[in-house]
Amino acid sequence: MIFTNLIFAHLLGDFILQPNSWVADKEVKKGRSIYLYFHVFIHIILALVFLWDLKLWWIALIIGITHFFIDWAKLKFQTSKTKRTWFFIDQILHILIIAAISIWYFPYFKWNDFFNPENLKIATAVIFLTIPCSILIKTVISVWTPITVEHSKLQTESLVNAGKYIGILERLLVFVFILVNHWEGVGFMIAAKSVFRFSDLAEAKQRKLTEYVLIGTLLSFGIAVLTGILVKI
């Protein structure tokens, strides 16, 4: 399937073969930057090289044209505050274009092949381990609220919603480790979090706070492990 080839070409063109000086020039001059056109030309050449079939020149051309308009829109409308948002929009649109071309090129692709029971089971588990699981854990441990001066200080010094996103990432990683039968990765995750997280708790010297965080951590890992086991059954 040409999807992997085109994604590989995209990664090379957008990240490896695009110097920071080009990016800076494009952000200043926008559509007037000659590097925008160099960048698009490189994507066309890379698409041709990795497709390795001159008969598919039209795919490389579509990649180049759509890449130009997506990049131009990002440069035109992004601001210093929306730069991160536009980065993700830009990358998602590029990937969607590549996916659409790949599916179009393979007319025998059937959506039923993707939405099979096994894939849906994994997708359901992944969604559950994100926000729903965070809310579940927060609700379960809400019976204990060790609000102390030290706790307030730790919350103030931490990033906004960092704990929630760390929990989501750790559950997803544990889930992946279980799916690929690398249980040692789960132990590594627990050890790594213990080193970084409980060093802060040792400074706070609050037993209730330590127990509160420990319960949340064990619940998070436990749910991820149980979900992985159920998916593999």
Side-chain angles (χ1 to χ4, degrees), residues 107-118:
Y108 299 106
F109 175 84
K110 297 179 181 180
W111 284 104
N112 289 337
D113 295 335
F114 180 78
F115 292 108
N116 59 61
E118 188 64 27

Side-chain angles (χ1 to χ4, degrees), residues 8 22 27 67-68 81 94-95 103 132 157 199 233:
F8 186 56
W22 289 21
E27 289 179 348
H67 201 99
F68 170 80
K81 293 182 178 180
H94 289 319
I95 293 172
I103 293 172
E157 293 177 351
S199 61
I233 293 177

Side-chain angles (χ1 to χ4, degrees), residues 145-192:
T145 53
I147 303 300
T148 63
V149 174
E150 291 80 2
H151 187 207
S152 301
K153 183 180 179 181
L154 285 174
Q155 286 184 323
T156 302
E157 293 177 351
S158 65
L159 299 174
V160 178
N161 291 326
K164 180 177 73 174
Y165 294 119
I166 290 171
I168 291 173
L169 288 173
E170 74 185 17
R171 287 191 295 274
L172 291 177
L173 285 172
V174 168
F175 180 68
V176 171
F177 287 141
I178 293 173
L179 286 187
V180 297
N181 287 319
H182 281 287
W183 285 84
E184 65 275 11
V186 179
F188 171 79
M189 287 288 300
I190 295 175

Side-chain angles (χ1 to χ4, degrees), residues 1-225:
M1 191 172 184
I2 63 172
F3 179 78
T4 305
N5 303 53
L6 293 177
I7 287 292
F8 186 56
H10 170 75
L11 293 176
L12 282 178
D14 244 23
F15 299 100
I16 307 300
L17 300 179
Q18 181 174 208
N20 291 331
S21 58
W22 289 21
V23 176
D25 189 82
K26 289 193 299 179
E27 289 179 348
V28 173
K29 297 180 181 178
K30 304 186 186 303
R32 295 181 289 106
S33 174
I34 190 172
Y35 295 114
L36 173 61
Y37 301 94
F38 285 168
H39 179 61
V40 171
F41 179 72
I42 286 174
H43 272 281
I44 294 174
I45 296 300
L46 286 172
L48 280 173
V49 168
F50 286 100
L51 288 173
W52 205 250
D53 188 350
L54 289 178
K55 294 179 181 179
L56 300 178
W57 62 268
W58 55 274
I59 293 181
L61 187 61
I62 291 174
I63 292 291
I65 292 173
T66 55
H67 201 99
F68 170 80
F69 284 109
I70 292 171
D71 277 19
W72 177 85
K74 182 185 72 170
L75 295 169
K76 177 74 174 176
F77 299 109
Q78 76 176 5
T79 64
S80 57
K81 293 182 178 180
T82 61
K83 190 173 180 179
R84 185 177 64 172
T85 302
W86 271 102
F87 169 81
F88 289 111
I89 292 174
D90 172 81
Q91 293 302 316
I92 289 171
L93 288 176
H94 289 319
I95 293 172
L96 287 176
I97 292 293
I98 291 173
I101 291 173
S102 302
I103 293 172
W104 183 26
Y105 182 71
F106 285 90
Y108 299 106
F109 175 84
K110 297 179 181 180
W111 284 104
N112 289 337
D113 295 335
F114 180 78
F115 292 108
N116 59 61
E118 188 64 27
N119 288 343
L120 284 176
K121 187 165 61 172
I122 294 174
T124 302
V126 168
I127 292 173
F128 167 70
L129 291 173
T130 56
I131 303 299
C133 197
S134 295
I135 296 174
L136 174 63
I137 293 172
K138 184 178 180 180
T139 302
V140 170
I141 64 177
S142 63
V143 66
W144 302 289
T145 53
I147 303 300
T148 63
V149 174
E150 291 80 2
H151 187 207
S152 301
K153 183 180 179 181
L154 285 174
Q155 286 184 323
T156 302
E157 293 177 351
S158 65
L159 299 174
V160 178
N161 291 326
K164 180 177 73 174
Y165 294 119
I166 290 171
I168 291 173
L169 288 173
E170 74 185 17
R171 287 191 295 274
L172 291 177
L173 285 172
V174 168
F175 180 68
V176 171
F177 287 141
I178 293 173
L179 286 187
V180 297
N181 287 319
H182 281 287
W183 285 84
E184 65 275 11
V186 179
F188 171 79
M189 287 288 300
I190 295 175
K193 185 169 184 181
S194 299
V195 170
F196 289 106
R197 190 71 175 99
F198 292 106
S199 61
D200 292 335
L201 296 173
E203 292 180 7
K205 297 180 181 179
Q206 285 289 325
R207 182 173 179 177
K208 288 183 179 179
L209 178 58
T210 303
E211 292 172 344
Y212 176 81
V213 174
L214 183 59
I215 291 171
T217 298
L218 291 177
L219 271 174
S220 181
F221 277 95
I223 292 173
V225 169

